[in-house]
Short mmCIF file of all heavy atoms in Angstrom, two decimals:
data_model
loop_
_atom_site.label_atom_id
_atom_site.label_comp_id
_atom_site.label_asym_id
_atom_site.label_seq_id
_atom_site.Cartn_x
_atom_site.Cartn_y
_atom_site.Cartn_z
N ASN S 21 -22.09 -49.69 55.06
CA ASN S 21 -23.13 -48.84 54.76
C ASN S 21 -22.71 -47.61 53.85
O ASN S 21 -23.54 -47.11 52.95
CB ASN S 21 -23.65 -48.19 56.08
CG ASN S 21 -24.56 -49.19 56.81
OD1 ASN S 21 -24.90 -50.28 56.34
ND2 ASN S 21 -24.72 -48.86 58.09
N ALA S 24 -22.46 -48.83 50.35
CA ALA S 24 -23.87 -48.96 49.77
C ALA S 24 -24.55 -47.54 49.36
O ALA S 24 -25.03 -47.52 48.33
CB ALA S 24 -24.73 -49.72 50.87
N ASP S 29 -26.03 -43.46 45.32
CA ASP S 29 -25.71 -42.15 44.82
C ASP S 29 -25.20 -42.09 43.36
O ASP S 29 -25.53 -41.15 42.70
CB ASP S 29 -24.87 -41.44 45.69
CG ASP S 29 -25.40 -41.03 47.10
OD1 ASP S 29 -26.76 -41.19 47.19
OD2 ASP S 29 -24.77 -40.73 47.95
N ILE S 42 -33.03 -42.79 46.36
CA ILE S 42 -32.72 -42.20 47.67
C ILE S 42 -32.16 -43.23 48.59
O ILE S 42 -32.91 -44.21 48.92
CB ILE S 42 -34.05 -41.59 48.25
CG1 ILE S 42 -34.66 -40.62 47.25
CG2 ILE S 42 -33.75 -40.96 49.61
CD1 ILE S 42 -35.97 -40.09 47.75
N GLY S 45 -34.24 -43.89 51.70
CA GLY S 45 -35.52 -44.09 51.45
C GLY S 45 -35.91 -45.51 52.25
O GLY S 45 -35.11 -46.37 52.12
N THR S 51 -36.49 -56.87 49.84
CA THR S 51 -36.17 -56.41 48.37
C THR S 51 -34.84 -57.00 47.90
O THR S 51 -33.86 -57.06 48.79
CB THR S 51 -35.99 -54.90 48.52
OG1 THR S 51 -37.35 -54.35 48.76
CG2 THR S 51 -35.61 -54.39 47.17
N LYS S 75 -14.28 -41.75 29.49
CA LYS S 75 -14.97 -41.78 30.85
C LYS S 75 -16.21 -42.81 30.74
O LYS S 75 -16.97 -42.56 29.96
CB LYS S 75 -15.46 -40.36 31.05
CG LYS S 75 -16.34 -40.25 32.30
CD LYS S 75 -17.13 -38.93 32.52
CE LYS S 75 -18.19 -38.69 33.43
NZ LYS S 75 -19.19 -39.84 33.38
N ALA S 77 -19.91 -44.04 32.16
CA ALA S 77 -21.01 -43.53 32.90
C ALA S 77 -20.93 -43.89 34.35
O ALA S 77 -20.37 -44.88 34.72
CB ALA S 77 -22.36 -44.10 32.20
N LEU S 97 -17.96 -33.76 31.88
CA LEU S 97 -19.11 -34.55 31.36
C LEU S 97 -20.07 -34.76 32.64
O LEU S 97 -19.49 -34.99 33.75
CB LEU S 97 -18.80 -35.81 30.67
CG LEU S 97 -17.84 -35.69 29.47
CD1 LEU S 97 -17.52 -37.14 28.98
CD2 LEU S 97 -18.56 -34.95 28.28
N PHE S 113 -0.04 -25.73 28.22
CA PHE S 113 -0.84 -26.34 27.42
C PHE S 113 -2.34 -25.99 27.92
O PHE S 113 -3.28 -25.72 27.01
CB PHE S 113 -0.73 -27.77 27.32
CG PHE S 113 -1.70 -28.33 26.26
CD1 PHE S 113 -1.19 -28.46 24.97
CD2 PHE S 113 -2.83 -29.03 26.61
CE1 PHE S 113 -2.03 -29.02 23.95
CE2 PHE S 113 -3.63 -29.64 25.63
CZ PHE S 113 -3.25 -29.52 24.35
N ILE S 118 -7.56 -23.49 26.98
CA ILE S 118 -8.76 -22.76 27.42
C ILE S 118 -9.17 -21.62 26.37
O ILE S 118 -10.28 -21.36 26.08
CB ILE S 118 -8.37 -22.09 28.82
CG1 ILE S 118 -8.38 -23.10 29.96
CG2 ILE S 118 -9.32 -20.99 29.11
CD1 ILE S 118 -7.85 -22.55 31.19
N ARG S 125 -13.46 -22.89 19.20
CA ARG S 125 -12.68 -23.61 18.21
C ARG S 125 -12.41 -25.17 18.46
O ARG S 125 -11.68 -25.83 17.78
CB ARG S 125 -11.24 -23.02 17.96
CG ARG S 125 -11.47 -21.57 17.31
CD ARG S 125 -10.03 -21.10 16.81
NE ARG S 125 -9.14 -20.87 17.89
CZ ARG S 125 -8.84 -19.68 18.24
NH1 ARG S 125 -9.54 -18.59 17.97
NH2 ARG S 125 -8.04 -19.41 19.45
N VAL S 131 -23.31 -38.41 20.60
CA VAL S 131 -24.40 -39.28 20.12
C VAL S 131 -25.43 -39.42 21.15
O VAL S 131 -25.03 -39.55 22.43
CB VAL S 131 -23.88 -40.64 19.60
CG1 VAL S 131 -23.17 -41.39 20.70
CG2 VAL S 131 -25.03 -41.39 18.92
N ALA S 132 -26.65 -39.45 20.88
CA ALA S 132 -27.67 -39.51 21.87
C ALA S 132 -28.93 -40.36 21.27
O ALA S 132 -29.02 -40.32 20.10
CB ALA S 132 -28.28 -38.15 22.37
N GLU S 141 -31.81 -32.12 9.77
CA GLU S 141 -30.94 -31.40 10.68
C GLU S 141 -31.75 -30.31 11.33
O GLU S 141 -32.71 -29.64 10.80
CB GLU S 141 -29.94 -30.76 9.68
CG GLU S 141 -28.76 -29.89 10.46
CD GLU S 141 -27.74 -29.31 9.64
OE1 GLU S 141 -27.47 -29.92 8.56
OE2 GLU S 141 -27.49 -28.14 9.81
N GLU S 143 -31.17 -26.94 14.00
CA GLU S 143 -30.33 -26.04 14.73
C GLU S 143 -30.93 -25.45 15.98
O GLU S 143 -32.06 -24.93 15.87
CB GLU S 143 -29.77 -24.93 13.84
CG GLU S 143 -28.66 -24.08 14.38
CD GLU S 143 -28.17 -23.04 13.39
OE1 GLU S 143 -27.48 -23.28 12.54
OE2 GLU S 143 -28.67 -21.86 13.63
N ILE S 161 -33.62 -22.83 29.55
CA ILE S 161 -33.61 -21.76 28.38
C ILE S 161 -34.05 -20.53 29.03
O ILE S 161 -35.15 -20.53 29.66
CB ILE S 161 -34.64 -22.22 27.32
CG1 ILE S 161 -34.32 -23.55 26.72
CG2 ILE S 161 -34.59 -21.01 26.27
CD1 ILE S 161 -32.94 -23.63 26.12
N ALA S 169 -25.80 -20.32 23.53
CA ALA S 169 -25.53 -21.74 23.40
C ALA S 169 -26.17 -22.18 22.12
O ALA S 169 -27.23 -21.84 21.76
CB ALA S 169 -26.15 -22.42 24.56
N SER S 171 -26.57 -25.70 19.49
CA SER S 171 -26.40 -27.20 19.30
C SER S 171 -26.99 -27.58 17.91
O SER S 171 -28.16 -27.05 17.52
CB SER S 171 -27.28 -27.90 20.35
OG SER S 171 -26.74 -27.66 21.71
N PRO S 175 -29.84 -36.25 12.13
CA PRO S 175 -30.41 -37.61 12.23
C PRO S 175 -29.48 -38.83 11.84
O PRO S 175 -28.59 -38.72 10.94
CB PRO S 175 -31.54 -37.57 11.25
CG PRO S 175 -31.13 -36.74 10.24
CD PRO S 175 -30.31 -35.55 10.98
N GLY S 180 -39.66 -46.35 14.95
CA GLY S 180 -40.78 -45.87 15.68
C GLY S 180 -40.80 -44.53 16.11
O GLY S 180 -40.62 -43.66 15.23
N LYS S 184 -31.86 -42.09 17.00
CA LYS S 184 -30.48 -42.00 17.49
C LYS S 184 -29.94 -40.76 16.58
O LYS S 184 -30.21 -40.60 15.30
CB LYS S 184 -29.70 -43.17 16.91
CG LYS S 184 -28.26 -43.19 17.37
CD LYS S 184 -27.65 -44.60 17.02
CE LYS S 184 -26.13 -44.63 17.50
NZ LYS S 184 -25.60 -45.92 17.20
N VAL S 187 -25.01 -34.91 17.81
CA VAL S 187 -25.25 -33.51 18.31
C VAL S 187 -23.89 -32.81 18.26
O VAL S 187 -22.94 -33.40 18.85
CB VAL S 187 -25.83 -33.37 19.57
CG1 VAL S 187 -26.15 -31.96 19.98
CG2 VAL S 187 -27.10 -34.15 19.59
N SER S 191 -19.85 -23.68 22.14
CA SER S 191 -19.75 -23.39 23.59
C SER S 191 -19.80 -24.66 24.36
O SER S 191 -19.43 -25.76 23.92
CB SER S 191 -20.92 -22.31 24.14
OG SER S 191 -22.17 -23.00 23.82
N LEU S 201 -32.28 -30.26 23.74
CA LEU S 201 -33.19 -31.32 23.07
C LEU S 201 -34.58 -31.35 23.70
O LEU S 201 -35.42 -31.44 23.05
CB LEU S 201 -32.44 -32.67 23.25
CG LEU S 201 -31.26 -32.82 22.31
CD1 LEU S 201 -30.49 -34.15 22.65
CD2 LEU S 201 -31.50 -32.77 20.74
N ASN S 202 -34.57 -31.22 25.02
CA ASN S 202 -35.82 -31.25 25.58
C ASN S 202 -36.71 -30.07 25.21
O ASN S 202 -37.98 -30.22 25.16
CB ASN S 202 -35.71 -31.15 27.10
CG ASN S 202 -36.94 -31.56 27.82
OD1 ASN S 202 -37.60 -32.46 27.63
ND2 ASN S 202 -37.43 -30.78 28.76
N GLY S 205 -38.71 -30.77 22.24
CA GLY S 205 -39.45 -31.95 22.21
C GLY S 205 -38.78 -33.25 22.00
O GLY S 205 -39.43 -34.17 21.45
N PRO S 243 -20.78 -46.84 23.70
CA PRO S 243 -21.08 -48.05 24.59
C PRO S 243 -22.09 -48.89 24.08
O PRO S 243 -22.86 -48.51 23.18
CB PRO S 243 -21.47 -47.26 25.84
CG PRO S 243 -20.92 -45.93 25.83
CD PRO S 243 -20.99 -45.53 24.32
#
Side-chain angles (χ1 to χ4, degrees):
N21 285 345
D29 289 343
I42 304 173
T51 298
K75 174 194 172 299
L97 298 177
F113 186 84
I118 287 173
R125 289 194 293 261
V131 62
E141 182 179 323
E143 185 177 288
I161 305 297
S171 306
K184 184 176 181 178
V187 186
S191 64
L201 289 173
N202 194 52

